[in-house]
Each structure stands twice: as structure tokens, then as C-alpha cells.
Amino acid sequence: MTSSNHLYQAIESAEIALKRQKLKQAKLLPLALLLFFAVVFVMATIYKSRYPALAYITAFAEAAMVGALADWFAVVALFRRPLGLPIPHTAIVPRNKLRIADSMGSFIQSNFLSPERIVGKIREFNPALKMAAWLTQNARPFSNLLIRVLSYSLHSLHDGRLLAFLKSTLITELQRIDISQFSGHILESLTQNGRHHHVLSEVLHELQKILGRTETQEAMAHVAAEEISFLKYMVLDKVAGKYLAEKMLGAVQKELKAMQDNPDHHLRLQFDCYIADFVDKLKHDQQFKQRGEKLKNELLAHPAVGEYIETLWAQLLRWLHSDLHRVDSTIRANIMLLAADMGKKLNENTEMQEWINTQCERAIPPIVEEYRETIGIFISDQVKTWDEQYMVERIELNIGTDLQFIRVSGTLVGGLVGLLIYVVAGWLG
């Protein structure tokens, strides 16, 4: 048993002891009134012949005793048999435990768990505004709580069994992926609506810039001069190399410019055909699929992949552990900032509040409706499992004090009614 259970039991025992003490004290008042009016009745009866006015007090005291005893009987009859006598229709609570259990479950199910009441309470509670206020006022405690949860989770993540499971699961899931089909869909998505042409245009632009640089031209001239080395003897190799390089680079740049400016350039159209054909092969060509699967399986089977996953996992845990235990933790600061900012924005944004409240009103009632009967049955079954004495004690401890005040009222009202009857009877002669 955990310490929290011990604490809960201690608190519950203290509450029960306090209720017992209050009930015991409450019972003393009606008992004292009964004894008081009994003494008054005896004394008034003795001296009535000497003081005729005492007849009124005698009538009041007599009726008060009757009212006190009647209410005592009624209160006791709820929980047990008065004086242990087998009087019919007494010990009502223990004799009707099953019916009370069913009625209690049905009552709570019908009156507390109806969708209409739940929606009304949600609107009255205003979850969005309460959430905004809580986040604004408790950003630091919230971040500290989350940090403690994360810190505990980190300790549990340092386990070889978990790492082996994650590594095995990740590799297994990667093995299930059809790499060719997946690549085909990705490439097809990237080329929709001619988006790949934007990339191609950027590449062509960069190529033009590279070919236009002096160092590129010099390098090409040197290569051309090496290829026509027989002109070296006439000291024409460098001149010819530079000329050839300028012509070649100029022709290439011109073609690149044409491709960049003309969306319908034949090389662009060939590029489109090549991409479409490649996507089709990735998605439907069995040879491509087989080669892709072979390459993927060889890669995943390599020990370096497993070691890389382990290294990444260890580095991630180390970084998280280091950051969470720093005074200037980046994660803590970001959580605090996010919570406070979210609370402030939510508090100012009535549309967002309305949206959150609407979602709560829509989401919670169907859940309650689905489980309300189960909750009612659960409450009923719980009450049915109670021992009769336990059930009687719990009910009496919670309503017994109020019942004692009913006995007091019954004593005084009974006395007044008795006095009134005595007066009316005397008036009627």
C-alpha cells in the first residue's frame, strides 16, 4: 500500500471520527428537551390542583413529550429497529438496501449525468476562460511539473530493453515500406503543377553564373589548350584554347538562357518526359522495385545502421538530461513562455474561447451519454456491496445531525399543538 493510500485513509478516519462526535453531541439536545419536559410535566401535574394555570404547562409538556418520542421513533426507524423490537416498517434503510442502491444509481444517472445538465455546467464553467487564467497564473508551476515528468521519463528511457525494442521496431517498419512506390509518390507530388521547373530554373541560373566566372573560363581554356597541345610549337595553344573555351561556354550559356526563358524549350520537355518516365518506373517497374528493395534491405541489415540509431538515441537523452537539470533550462524557459503566451492570447481571443467551449460542449456530452448507464450501474453495484451496518452508519453520519434538529422541532411543535388543542377544548366547554 502506498503512502498516498495511508494518507487518504487517515484523512477519511479523521473525518468519520469528527462526524461521529458531532452526531453524538447533536443527540444530546433532543434528549435533554425530552427529560426537561418530563420533569416539567411531573412538577406541573403535582402542583396543578394548587395552581390551575399550570394545566396549560402540563398540556404543553405532555404534547412535547409525545412529539419528542414520536420523532425519536421515526428517526430511529430509518436506520434500525427501535429498542430492538420487530415492529413493521422499521429499519427501513438496511431492509431496502438493494432498492436504495438501484434508486441512487438511477437518480444520479438521470439527474446529474443528463446531456442537458452537462452542457449547462460546461457553459457555466467556461473551460476556455478557466484554462486561460490557469495558464497565465501558473506558467512556472506548470513548467516545473512538466519538467519533473520529463525528468522521470528520461530515467525510465535509459534501458537497454527499450532501446532494443525501438531499434527493432524502427527497422521492421522501415523494411515494410515499399521504397520504390514511396519514392515514386514523393517525386510525383514534387513535380505536380510544374513545381520541379522552379528548381530547374534556379539550377540553370546558378549554372550560368558559374560558367560566366573568370576562373571557370580560365580553367576551360587550360583544358582546351591541353587537348590541342600540337599548337604549342607554334605558340598558338593558349590563344586557341581561350578561343575555343569562349565559344563553348558562350554556346552553353546561350542554350541555358534559352531554357530558362522558354517554358516550352525542347530540353525542358525532354526533362519532363524523363521525370515522368522515372516516376512511372518507380511505381510500376518490377526491376526498379526489386533493386530498391535489395538496396534498402542491405542498408538496414548493415550494423552501422543499428549503431547510428543507438548513437542518436543516446545523444538525444544526454542533451535532454543536461538541459532539464540546468537552472537556465531552455526547455523550461520555452514551456513557461509558451504557457504564459498561450494563456494571454486565449484570454484576449473571444473567438478562440468560443471555439474551445463549443468543442467541449460537443465532445463531452456524447461521452457521458455513452457511459452514463454504466456509471449508474457502477454506483448501484458499489452500494449493494456495502455491509448493511456500514451503509447505515455512513448515511446516519451524513444526515443524522440534521435529523436530531428535526426531533427538537418535533418536540417544540408537538408542545405547541398540544397547548392549542387544550385551549380549544377548554373554549368549547
Side-chain angles (χ1 to χ4, degrees):
M1 185 178 294
T2 62
S3 58
S4 59
N5 288 337
H6 283 298
L7 179 60
Y8 174 77
Q9 288 186 348
I11 294 173
E12 186 181 29
S13 300
E15 289 179 352
I16 292 173
L18 182 60
K19 288 180 179 179
R20 283 177 182 155
Q21 183 65 24
K22 287 183 177 179
L23 180 59
K24 186 177 179 180
Q25 292 173 353
K27 287 181 177 180
L28 294 176
L29 181 58
L31 178 60
L33 279 177
L34 174 61
L35 295 176
F36 171 74
F37 284 115
V39 172
V40 170
F41 175 77
V42 171
M43 297 300 294
T45 301
I46 293 174
Y47 293 100
K48 184 170 60 174
S49 58
R50 187 181 304 178
Y51 304 103
L54 290 176
Y56 293 97
I57 296 177
T58 303
F60 184 93
E62 181 181 9
M65 288 191 294
V66 172
L69 291 172
D71 282 347
W72 167 82
F73 180 88
V75 170
V76 172
L78 283 173
F79 305 107
R80 57 189 66 85
R81 296 187 183 278
L83 303 176
L85 300 175
I87 302 172
H89 304 294
T90 58
I92 294 173
V93 171
R95 286 195 305 106
N96 294 276
K97 184 181 77 169
L98 299 181
R99 184 165 60 84
I100 291 172
D102 290 333
S103 299
M104 189 180 297
S106 177
F107 176 78
I108 293 175
Q109 175 185 337
S110 302
N111 294 279
F112 291 92
L113 299 177
S114 65
E116 296 79 12
R117 288 184 178 273
I118 296 296
V119 170
K121 284 297 178 184
I122 291 173
R123 287 175 183 167
E124 180 183 337
F125 182 71
N126 196 340
L129 199 60
K130 293 291 190 300
M131 185 190 303
W134 189 90
L135 286 172
T136 303
Q137 298 168 6
N138 298 278
R140 181 176 293 276
F142 174 69
S143 64
N144 290 337
L145 174 62
L146 203 54
I147 289 297
R148 285 199 295 269
V149 173
L150 290 173
S151 181
Y152 172 79
S153 302
L154 280 180
H155 287 294
S156 63
L157 294 178
H158 285 283
D159 193 309
R161 294 170 297 180
L162 176 62
L163 178 58
F165 173 77
L166 289 175
K167 186 167 64 173
S168 172
T169 303
L170 180 60
I171 291 177
T172 301
E173 291 302 319
L174 289 174
Q175 287 174 337
R176 291 177 181 175
I177 297 175
D178 187 338
I179 192 67
S180 296
Q181 191 81 3
F182 178 75
S183 302
H185 284 298
I186 292 294
L187 191 57
E188 185 179 39
S189 175
L190 292 174
T191 56
Q192 282 182 348
N193 300 320
R195 282 180 286 192
H196 59 296
H197 280 286
H198 297 293
V199 179
L200 179 60
S201 296
E202 289 297 322
V203 171
L204 293 174
H205 180 68
E206 290 300 319
L207 280 175
Q208 279 187 292
K209 287 169 61 177
I210 293 172
L211 295 178
R213 291 173 184 169
T214 304
E215 55 267 26
T216 305
Q217 294 177 359
E218 290 178 351
M220 289 293 294
H222 179 72
V223 171
E226 290 292 328
E227 292 297 323
I228 52 176
S229 56
F230 64 90
L231 295 177
K232 183 186 299 184
Y233 301 103
M234 294 180 287
V235 196
L236 295 174
D237 55 331
K238 292 183 179 180
V239 176
K242 184 179 180 180
Y243 176 78
L244 289 174
E246 288 176 355
K247 290 295 183 183
M248 290 171 57
L249 289 175
V252 172
Q253 284 181 300
K254 183 179 179 181
E255 194 66 27
L256 291 176
K257 184 70 167 57
M259 286 181 65
Q260 190 174 3
D261 295 340
N262 183 9
D264 296 323
H265 193 279
H266 68 95
L267 291 179
R268 277 186 179 269
L269 298 178
Q270 289 180 14
F271 179 69
D272 283 342
C273 293
Y274 171 77
I275 292 293
D277 183 60
F278 186 63
V279 170
D280 184 70
K281 286 183 178 180
L282 285 172
K283 293 172 66 176
H284 305 107
D285 193 305
Q286 292 300 319
Q287 289 185 349
F288 259 68
K289 286 189 177 184
Q290 290 174 1
R291 279 190 284 178
E293 288 299 307
K294 181 180 178 182
L295 179 63
K296 179 191 71 177
N297 292 331
E298 288 178 354
L299 179 64
L300 293 176
H302 198 283
V305 175
E307 293 174 1
Y308 182 67
I309 294 174
E310 292 180 6
T311 302
L312 285 179
W313 183 252
Q315 289 177 349
L316 174 63
L317 293 183
R318 277 198 302 270
W319 180 83
L320 289 172
H321 186 272
S322 173
D323 185 82
L324 292 177
H325 288 81
R326 289 207 318 263
V327 177
D328 57 339
S329 170
T330 304
I331 297 176
R332 180 187 282 106
N334 286 331
I335 292 173
M336 285 179 57
L337 185 63
L338 179 63
D341 187 58
M342 187 180 297
K344 181 182 177 182
K345 289 182 178 178
L346 183 57
N347 189 56
E348 297 171 351
N349 193 325
T350 54
E351 291 184 358
M352 195 63 193
Q353 291 178 25
E354 184 179 351
W355 181 84
I356 292 175
N357 291 336
T358 302
Q359 301 311 309
C360 291
E361 291 174 17
R362 289 178 180 174
I364 296 177
I367 297 174
V368 174
E369 181 66 30
E370 182 178 354
Y371 293 102
R372 61 187 296 217
E373 184 176 353
T374 305
I375 295 171
I377 294 172
F378 171 76
I379 293 171
S380 175
D381 292 342
Q382 284 296 110
V383 176
K384 288 178 182 178
T385 60
W386 290 354
D387 177 73
E388 290 182 1
Q389 183 61 34
Y390 176 85
M391 180 178 179
V392 167
E393 183 186 31
R394 288 297 181 274
I395 296 176
E396 188 175 15
L397 286 175
N398 284 280
I399 66 172
T401 302
D402 295 322
L403 294 177
Q404 304 313 310
F405 287 104
I406 292 177
R407 287 176 58 189
V408 172
S409 301
T411 302
L412 298 176
V413 171
L416 290 172
V417 171
L419 178 60
L420 180 62
I421 292 173
Y422 179 79
V423 171
V424 172
W427 180 72
L428 291 174

